[in-house]
């Protein structure tokens, strides 16, 4: 699904043509493939009913009537409350213990509902790995082909044969050490194929690439997106409308928020302290996971 964008401010873009709400496709797995009981089905059905009001609120947000400050408050509130009826089997994988901060860092939440039930080819993309390959190592053990990109580190000496590393990064246009997600998919012959999981930890570049992915339609075949959001820079000029709109458009494409985790090692940051206003604290670094709502939709009938 390709859409056009229009410039808003010096850096970030908003959609010029609003997206339409996607219709659920015939991809729901059903009880027979999920191997669950009627009691478990009933739990998921009730959770989906509870989610419905929040989902409709996000999809019907009138963002054009909001100020940047209003969009900021709605954005933080929305991303802190994941839906509970989209994923049943959520796991926390990978990560390294950081003794200085007394916390785990680099771990990722992933829904394994389709990993265990589906028999289709499993393709995973990972952008920004640094010195922690634990998540990618584990996912590769699930018989997934993992395509990793990071222009700041060298490839490891040994890894599973289904791990493919390229010393390049992600951006909105090609360069000598960067390329676009659409181009990487073309190079790997993945255009039109299902991408089971897209992991993104690229130190702020996600704020520019996410609108482009919506524009280019490359997310149409992506099932889960895990993004570490770096929002500190947005507080400098109060630029939040574009990102709230991106979240709304993800919902219109069929994605739902299934996980939120603040980066406790970075901690909260204070903004807005002056003679006229009291400072406010925000966790500006946090991990969110969006998943296409395809597994449990049969319970809505």
């Amino acid at each position: 699904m390709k859409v056009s964008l229009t410039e808003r401010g010096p850096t970030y873009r908003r959609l010029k043509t609003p997206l339409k709400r996607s219709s659920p496709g015939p991809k729901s797995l059903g009880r027979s493939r999920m191997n669950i009981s009627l009691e478990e089905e009933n739990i998921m059905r009730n959770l989906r009913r509870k989610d419905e009001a929040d989902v409709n609120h996000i999809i019907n947000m009138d963002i054009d009537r909001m100020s940047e400050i209003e969009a900021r408050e709605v954005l933080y509130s929305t991303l802190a409350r994941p839906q509970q009826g989209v994923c049943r089997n959520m796991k926390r994988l990978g990560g390294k213990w950081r003794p200085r901060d007394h916390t785990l860092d680099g771990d990722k939440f992933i829904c394994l509902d389709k990993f265990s039930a589906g028999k289709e080819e499993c393709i995973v993309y990972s952008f920004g790995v640094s010195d922690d390959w634990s998540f990618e190592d584990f996912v590769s053990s699930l018989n997934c082909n993992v395509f990793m990109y990071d222009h700041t580190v060298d490839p490891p000496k040994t890894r599973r044969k289904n791990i493919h590393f390229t010393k390049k990064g992600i951006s909105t246009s090609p360069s000598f050490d960067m390329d676009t997600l659409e181009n990487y998919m073309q190079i790997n012959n993945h255009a039109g194929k299902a991408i089971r999981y897209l992991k993104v930890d690229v130190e702020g570049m996600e704020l520019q690439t996410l609108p482009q992915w919506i524009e280019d339609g490359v997310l149409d075949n992506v099932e889960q997106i895990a993004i570490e959001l770096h929002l500190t820079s947005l507080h400098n000029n109060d630029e939040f409308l574009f990102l709230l709109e991106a979240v709304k458009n993800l919902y219109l494409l069929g994605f739902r928020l299934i996980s939120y985790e603040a980066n406790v090692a970075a901690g909260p940051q204070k903004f807005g302290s002056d003679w006229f206003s009291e400072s406010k604290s925000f966790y500006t670094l946090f991990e969110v996971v969006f998943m296409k709502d395809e597994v449990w939709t049969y319970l809505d009938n």
Side-chain angles (χ1 to χ4, degrees):
M1 178 185 296
K2 286 182 176 287
V3 294
S4 58
L5 294 173
T6 183
E7 294 292 333
R8 179 179 179 84
T11 308
Y12 306 112
R13 301 180 294 178
R14 291 187 62 193
L15 284 169
K16 184 178 180 180
T17 305
L19 294 181
K20 295 182 179 180
R21 184 171 187 172
S22 63
S23 300
K27 299 180 181 180
S28 185
L29 297 178
R31 187 196 314 145
S32 61
R33 292 184 66 189
M34 294 302 295
N35 191 29
I36 65 169
S37 66
L38 287 172
E39 290 79 6
E40 291 171 306
E41 262 194 353
N42 190 50
I43 291 173
M44 291 301 296
R45 182 180 291 108
N46 288 334
L47 289 172
R48 293 184 65 80
R49 289 172 179 168
K50 184 177 182 297
D51 287 341
E52 188 174 359
D54 288 338
V55 170
N56 287 331
H57 174 73
I58 294 169
I59 288 175
N60 294 312
M61 286 188 298
D62 191 352
I63 298 176
D64 289 334
R65 292 180 175 271
M66 295 183 189
S67 67
E68 292 284 1
I69 299 302
E70 289 171 332
R72 181 193 69 188
E73 298 303 308
V74 173
L75 177 70
Y76 275 98
S77 174
T78 298
L79 294 180
R81 294 183 290 184
Q83 274 68 63
Q84 302 299 313
V86 179
C87 173
R88 170 176 170 267
N89 187 13
M90 179 90 74
K91 297 298 178 183
R92 183 179 190 174
L93 305 179
K96 283 186 175 181
W97 180 253
R98 305 295 183 185
R100 186 185 68 177
D101 301 310
H102 296 90
T103 189
L104 193 70
D105 187 39
D107 54 304
K108 304 297 174 185
F109 284 89
I110 183 171
C111 182
L112 296 179
D113 287 356
K114 291 190 73 173
F115 280 78
S116 57
K119 296 182 180 179
E120 301 84 2
E121 179 184 8
C122 179
I123 301 172
V124 173
Y125 275 74
S126 177
F127 293 96
V129 294
S130 187
D131 63 343
D132 184 2
W133 302 64
S134 54
F135 173 80
E136 290 77 8
D137 284 338
F138 187 88
V139 171
S140 69
S141 72
L142 302 176
N143 296 320
C144 295
N145 286 307
V146 183
F147 294 81
M148 306 171 60
Y149 298 86
D150 195 321
H151 64 297
T152 67
V153 297
D154 293 320
K157 294 181 180 180
T158 58
R159 273 304 185 273
R160 291 175 178 267
K161 64 180 181 179
N162 52 334
I163 289 183
H164 314 276
F165 178 84
T166 302
K167 191 174 181 179
K168 296 187 73 172
I170 189 74
S171 186
T172 56
S173 59
S175 65
F176 74 97
D177 63 348
M178 298 280 186
D179 212 334
T180 66
L181 177 58
E182 185 175 27
N183 285 346
Y184 285 133
M185 289 182 176
Q186 293 284 352
I187 292 169
N188 296 325
N189 295 316
H190 292 157
K193 291 187 176 181
I195 307 302
R196 192 63 55 87
Y197 197 86
L198 170 60
K199 191 204 88 171
V200 185
D201 187 357
V202 289
E203 307 305 319
M205 179 56 69
E206 74 281 353
L207 300 177
Q208 299 189 42
T209 56
L210 181 57
Q212 184 188 61
W213 297 341
I214 296 172
E215 174 189 22
D216 292 342
V218 295
L219 300 181
D220 289 353
N221 296 309
V222 174
E223 296 176 1
Q224 295 182 58
I225 314 171
I227 307 178
E228 179 155 22
L229 290 171
H230 303 76
L231 305 190
T232 306
S233 63
L234 302 188
H235 287 263
N236 296 332
N237 298 310
D238 288 326
E239 295 184 87
F240 295 94
L241 285 166
F242 85 96
L243 187 55
L244 182 60
E245 188 171 58
V247 171
K248 175 180 177 177
N249 285 320
L250 287 175
Y251 271 71
L252 289 170
L253 289 173
F255 287 97
R256 301 290 181 262
L257 180 72
I258 62 170
S259 176
Y260 164 90
E261 184 181 36
N263 188 324
V264 296
Q269 299 190 46
K270 290 187 176 181
F271 299 92
S273 179
D274 54 35
W275 289 103
F276 306 101
S277 62
E278 183 180 354
S279 64
K280 293 185 176 181
S281 296
F282 297 86
Y283 278 94
T284 60
L285 274 64
F286 51 89
E287 180 95 18
V288 289
V289 182
F290 294 90
M291 177 179 171
K292 285 277 181 67
D293 189 12
E294 299 173 338
V295 179
W296 302 98
T297 52
Y298 74 97
L299 296 176
D300 300 335
N301 298 326

